[in-house]
Amino acid sequence: MKIMNCPMNGPRNVSEFVWGGEVREMPDPAASDHEWAEYVFIENNTKGVVREWWMHAPTSYWFIAERNTETDEIVRTYPATELYNSRREFK
Amino acid sequence: MPFGLLKYALSKQYPGERHFPARKELRPSYDVVIVGAGGHGLAAAYYLAREWNITNVAVLDKGYLAGGNTARNTAIIRSNYLTPEGVRFYDESVRLYQDLANEFDYNLMYSERGHFTLAHTDAAMRTARWRAEVNKHMGVKSELVYPDEIARICPQLNMSRDVRYPILGALYHYPGAIARHDAVAWGYARGAHRRGVEIHTHTEVTGFEIDNGRVNAVRTNRGTIKCGKVLQAVAGMTSVVAGMAGFKLPIRTIPLQACVTEPVKPFLDPIIVSGSLHVYVSQSARGELVMGGSVDPYSLYNTRSTLDFKEELIMHMLELFPFIGRMRMLRQWAGMADMTPDFSPVMGETPVQNYYIDAGWGTWGFKATPVCGKRMAETVATGKVPDLIAPFALERFYRFAQVGEKGAASVGH
Ligand SMILES: Cc1cc2nc3c(=O)[nH]c(=O)nc-3n(C[C@H](O)[C@H](O)[C@H](O)COP(=O)(O)OP(=O)(O)OC[C@H]3O[C@@H](n4cnc5c(N)ncnc54)[C@H](O)[C@@H]3O)c2cc1C
């Protein structure tokens, strides 16, 4: 059984988690349709270590994991506040 | 050696046949270089030679012949999709398949079994009805059937209502078939090779030379070769190879796993799929139950097998066929599926001139091997994208014009 370390709940079976895809910078709301299409659909699909959103489903807790997509190793997990620590305003 | 046997060996009546020639040196240049010698790349090479008389072609593969997803799929062929674009496209493939063994003079073990997509919920019944209507409208033989009919055609299925997900009905697709996947690739490879195409295995593409937005050479671990055009058909490695050419795709590489049981005498004729339970099963000509489920829960460039997959699959299989609990599992494996967000492929032009793409085949590309090869060959030969595959262009995502096969692709095989 593969174990993932949830920053809030500790080590849990990976089947309790939901994969949320790569962490990426959201475009400006006023960005062009082309930029938005790219953000919504186009993937880096990185082969190697990648930074991703994951959720612990039973507690609906979203966090960030660094994972190696070649070896299936989870390198590190941490709360999203490590990356996002200030409020962002959209006008 | 007994003389009687030697007589056969020396007789002209029983000539030895070598499928493929020993590997040659790469030529300095080709009109078309195809990256990936899976079913898709080989089929494209075959139709380029056969229908367009373009034979100065090299098909390159980093591994052995057709050892990628072509060797790993569960070989289900059908055209009972949901979108008219999809049905029209896959229907042409099924028609090509039906005649392919004759065309190759090669046994593909093409076996028409009939294909059930079981429905266990009202929503699944509605989708089945919807697909049946779209299919019939497009001339494809599919029908909505109810439990009495299912029990008549497939008495092995557990029709009890005393289970977690009772069977309410099914989409029955008459032409659903299976074929020997390796033979499909070998048939295309032999046909292409006989017409002058070169197939180079153990030749890895490592980059491209692109000038003014136009590709003119392919770098490999055996040297650089000039090329007129490039066709990329590398399934799970799509993003990596496209990255060498400098563009990105709406594709994620996610493993898809499958397994087989020990062989037993034939007892299961139709192909059984359940979208809600995420399982599918057929009995191969050898007698093994070939089974698979949904894709893995996260992306990975790896073909490892997991216990989670088996647990999920077997739990549902035992509900459909309780008696297989006594059978043993023989093998388990995985392939790397190139998944798109709308469950439709990506075919045609790319941002690089003279560089064409055949990707996004996820869990559904084996059945498309003939039509995709044929239409990609047409695209490469004429430089024009045929109507049949135009809806699947990469730039559909920039027009927000996806071809949503989701209704069909949750059963996606
Ligand atoms: C378990 C499983 C079950 C499936 N079941 C079904 C099914 O029932 N029905 C169905 O229709 N489809 C099914 N599919 C999907 C189907 O197998 C694929 O969509 C199809 O085989 C893709 O064929 P291909 O030729 O594009 O890719 P592949 O056969 O994967 O060929 C790609 C080739 O590219 C080569 N390559 C990669 N990178 C490089 C490089 N840098 N240089 C040179 N060569 C390179 C690889 O070595 C490989 O041989 C299934 C897939 C899996 C994994």
Side-chain angles (χ1 to χ4, degrees):
Chain A
M1 216 141 274
K2 196 169 179 62
I3 302 293
M4 190 171 214
N5 187 33
C6 171
M8 185 163 82
N9 302 283
R12 311 292 307 179
N13 187 344
V14 75
S15 63
E16 288 184 17
F17 295 90
V18 176
W19 177 54
E22 246 172 87
V23 174
R24 293 192 293 175
E25 214 26 58
M26 194 175 98
D28 188 279
S32 67
D33 283 359
H34 188 93
E35 258 175 88
W36 271 102
E38 205 132 85
Y39 174 67
V40 175
F41 300 120
I42 303 297
E43 302 287 341
N44 292 323
N45 200 15
T46 307
K47 184 169 174 244
V49 176
V50 60
R51 188 193 271 166
E52 293 171 325
W53 286 106
W54 280 79
M55 180 186 63
H56 181 246
T59 54
S60 292
Y61 173 69
W62 283 97
F63 61 95
I64 292 173
E66 282 169 17
R67 188 172 69 88
N68 187 326
T69 62
E70 269 187 282
T71 58
D72 199 17
E73 274 166 320
I74 297 156
V75 183
R76 197 163 89 86
T77 56
Y78 47 89
T81 46
E82 247 189 58
L83 296 183
Y84 300 97
N85 45 20
S86 64
R87 189 182 163 81
R88 187 160 164 189
E89 301 292 343
F90 295 110
K91 279 161 264 150
Chain B
M1 188 188 287
F3 184 65
L5 188 58
L6 200 63
K7 235 173 38 189
Y8 280 95
L10 299 175
S11 158
K12 285 207 172 57
Q13 252 183 303
Y14 306 98
E17 190 197 9
R18 184 168 181 143
H19 258 63
F20 310 111
R23 194 173 83 169
K24 290 194 277 197
E25 286 304 301
L26 284 167
R27 279 191 242 152
S29 104
Y30 296 91
D31 294 340
V32 180
V33 171
I34 298 176
V35 189
H40 283 234
L42 294 166
Y46 171 86
Y47 291 109
L48 271 177
R50 197 186 104 134
E51 301 199 341
W52 303 94
N53 212 15
I54 297 174
T55 57
N56 184 20
V57 175
V59 189
L60 313 181
D61 200 292
K62 67 174 181 182
Y64 58 94
L65 190 72
N69 291 355
T70 299
R72 295 157 196 270
N73 65 70
T74 43
I76 300 173
I77 297 165
R78 61 181 178 90
S79 59
N80 57 351
Y81 277 78
L82 179 69
T83 64
E85 294 90 341
V87 176
R88 197 157 57 116
F89 175 77
Y90 292 105
D91 184 42
E92 180 168 307
S93 211
V94 171
R95 286 168 201 277
L96 287 166
Y97 256 126
Q98 286 167 342
D99 200 36
L100 206 56
N102 280 330
E103 187 179 317
F104 287 166
D105 189 19
Y106 197 81
N107 190 357
L108 305 181
M109 296 165 85
Y110 189 83
S111 172
E112 228 168 65
R113 301 288 191 85
H115 178 287
F116 284 100
T117 309
L118 304 177
H120 310 261
T121 62
D122 288 343
M125 282 299 277
R126 197 194 53 198
T127 309
R129 193 173 289 121
W130 180 3
R131 283 168 67 184
E133 291 312 316
V134 173
N135 287 190
K136 280 189 260 189
H137 182 68
M138 311 285 297
V140 167
K141 279 174 84 180
S142 301
E143 244 170 75
L144 187 69
V145 291
Y146 292 92
D148 48 345
E149 184 78 356
I150 301 172
R152 195 181 59 75
I153 305 174
C154 188
Q156 298 81 2
L157 261 174
N158 179 14
M159 299 302 294
S160 163
R161 302 195 60 85
D162 196 20
V163 290
R164 189 158 170 213
Y165 299 104
I167 297 167
L168 305 181
L171 177 70
Y172 185 49
H173 178 55
Y174 294 79
I178 49 176
R180 180 152 184 235
H181 41 36
D182 297 320
V184 171
W186 297 338
Y188 276 121
R190 190 177 70 154
H193 158 66
R194 284 186 173 170
R195 289 170 175 84
V197 169
E198 287 184 12
I199 298 165
H200 291 274
T201 56
H202 305 98
T203 307
E204 180 166 0
V205 170
T206 55
F208 299 96
E209 282 172 19
I210 294 168
D211 256 338
N212 286 327
R214 190 190 188 104
V215 66
N216 47 39
V218 178
R219 282 199 289 269
T220 80
N221 60 346
R222 296 170 62 204
T224 298
I225 43 185
K226 294 226 165 324
C227 64
K229 292 177 175 177
V230 168
L231 170 61
Q232 173 191 325
V234 295
M237 301 306 277
T238 291
S239 302
V240 173
V241 175
M244 298 173 193
F247 64 95
K248 287 187 194 175
L249 292 149
I251 285 178
R252 288 167 158 178
T253 298
I254 305 183
L256 178 64
Q257 305 187 43
C259 60
V260 294
T261 63
E262 60 187 332
V264 293
K265 285 191 174 169
F267 72 92
L268 182 65
D269 192 40
I271 302 156
I272 307 289
V273 176
S274 166
S276 325
L277 305 188
H278 296 293
V279 297
Y280 57 94
V281 59
S282 68
Q283 190 175 19
S284 73
R286 190 157 45 192
E288 301 163 329
L289 288 187
V290 181
M291 303 184 282
S294 49
V295 290
D296 274 12
Y298 55 88
S299 76
L300 199 65
Y301 285 91
N302 195 311
T303 53
R304 55 96 179 93
S305 296
T306 67
L307 179 66
D308 288 351
F309 158 74
K310 273 189 293 233
E311 278 181 352
E312 181 90 17
L313 174 75
I314 300 307
M315 168 174 79
H316 292 310
M317 284 298 303
L318 288 176
E319 201 168 292
L320 297 176
F321 300 101
F323 55 88
I324 69 166
R326 295 169 55 190
M327 293 171 78
R328 271 171 302 190
M329 194 181 279
L330 263 198
R331 292 192 305 280
Q332 184 187 358
W333 67 90
M336 294 185 283
D338 37 338
M339 301 294 290
T340 54
D342 61 355
F343 300 90
S344 283
V346 175
M347 282 183 278
E349 292 170 326
T350 69
V352 180
Q353 258 185 56
N354 289 348
Y355 191 110
Y356 300 93
I357 185 118
D358 167 14
W361 287 109
T363 64
W364 50 85
F366 173 66
K367 67 182 70 62
T369 305
V371 66
C372 180
K374 186 174 160 139
R375 297 305 185 166
M376 285 313 300
E378 181 180 342
T379 306
V380 172
T382 64
K384 284 206 285 282
V385 178
D387 285 349
L388 191 71
I389 66 170
F392 304 112
L394 169 57
E395 60 73 63
R396 73 177 181 270
F397 292 95
Y398 293 97
R399 284 186 281 115
F400 299 89
Q402 298 97 298
V403 186
E405 268 308 346
K406 196 170 167 71
S410 52
V411 299
H413 307 280

